[in-house]
Amino acid sequence: MWALTRCCIITILFVYSQIHDTNATGDDQFIVAGYLPDYRSYMNINATSLHLTDVMLFSLTPEAVLHYSESSSAGCCLSEEHFTLLRKARSHKHLEQTKSRLRLLITIGGGGRSDGFGNIVTGSSSTKHQFLQGLIKICKENDFDGIDLDFENIQTLGEWRAYLQFLVQASTFLHKHNLLA
């Protein structure tokens, strides 16, 4: 019995020391993310933002991103109202709690909005580059911290492999621009 108790105490101390060290350095933190669909833009997310580290805004279609660099228009299904809502939530959190910054991400694709992803990830290098440039422009113009790529309904193994390769390419590209991926 004493051996079991001693083992439990040592385990608790080890776990405590790991938690304490992690909190002291600030290297690892929990991410508490909220997902804001475009159809919920009527909500006041300021109060909720106080409890979040990240908010992901749902969503743009891949085609809207591909052509964003040409038109500077978000297209389906977001508007300036959505971007303003998130910027206000970030400002609210900053005014209430200066210790952390609310990170804003935008989802590309997702439920019913993934059409076109297959053509991009299996397309030419110029198509991929145009798409990545659109991502950068959207993030910079709207003060987003990163991207959530959500390719649903992958049709073939080839699309799946191309998507995985593209994620690596996109992540590297976005990180060079100090964006989360």
Side-chain angles (χ1 to χ4, degrees), residues 1 10 20 46 54-55 67 70 79 91 95 98 124 143 149 153 164 180:
M1 181 68 167
I10 290 171
H20 181 72
N46 290 345
D54 299 30
V55 173
H67 300 293
E70 301 165 0
S79 68
S91 295
L95 291 173
T98 58
S124 68
D143 200 25
L149 295 172
N153 301 320
L164 294 177
L180 302 170

Side-chain angles (χ1 to χ4, degrees), residues 27-28 35 53 65 67 76 80 102 110 129 142 163 169 177:
D27 291 340
D28 294 330
Y35 195 66
T53 58
V65 175
H67 300 293
C76 177
E80 181 58 33
L102 184 65
H129 182 73
N142 297 290
Y163 181 56
Q169 179 185 2
H177 292 273

Side-chain angles (χ1 to χ4, degrees), residues 12 14 24 30 53 69-70 73 79 81 86 92 108 149 160:
I12 290 169
F14 176 74
F30 285 104
T53 58
S69 58
E70 301 165 0
S73 169
S79 68
E81 173 190 356
L86 287 183
H92 180 75
I108 310 301
L149 295 172
W160 177 249

Side-chain angles (χ1 to χ4, degrees), residues 73-93:
S73 169
C76 177
C77 294
L78 300 174
S79 68
E80 181 58 33
E81 173 190 356
H82 297 98
F83 302 139
T84 300
L85 179 70
L86 287 183
R87 286 192 291 269
K88 286 181 180 179
R90 176 185 278 161
S91 295
H92 180 75
K93 180 170 183 169

Side-chain angles (χ1 to χ4, degrees), residues 112-173:
R113 297 185 188 165
S114 291
D115 291 346
F117 248 135
N119 295 332
I120 292 167
V121 300
T122 60
S124 68
S125 59
S126 65
T127 298
K128 293 174 191 170
H129 182 73
Q130 182 180 348
F131 182 78
L132 292 171
Q133 290 298 327
L135 293 176
I136 298 298
K137 189 170 184 182
I138 289 167
C139 287
K140 298 299 181 188
E141 288 181 3
N142 297 290
D143 200 25
F144 284 104
D145 297 292
I147 302 291
D148 168 35
L149 295 172
D150 187 1
F151 183 9
E152 296 186 6
N153 301 320
I154 296 172
Q155 300 296 313
T156 67
L157 183 59
E159 271 187 1
W160 177 249
R161 288 182 178 145
Y163 181 56
L164 294 177
Q165 290 173 343
F166 181 75
L167 286 177
V168 171
Q169 179 185 2
S171 179
T172 301
F173 187 79

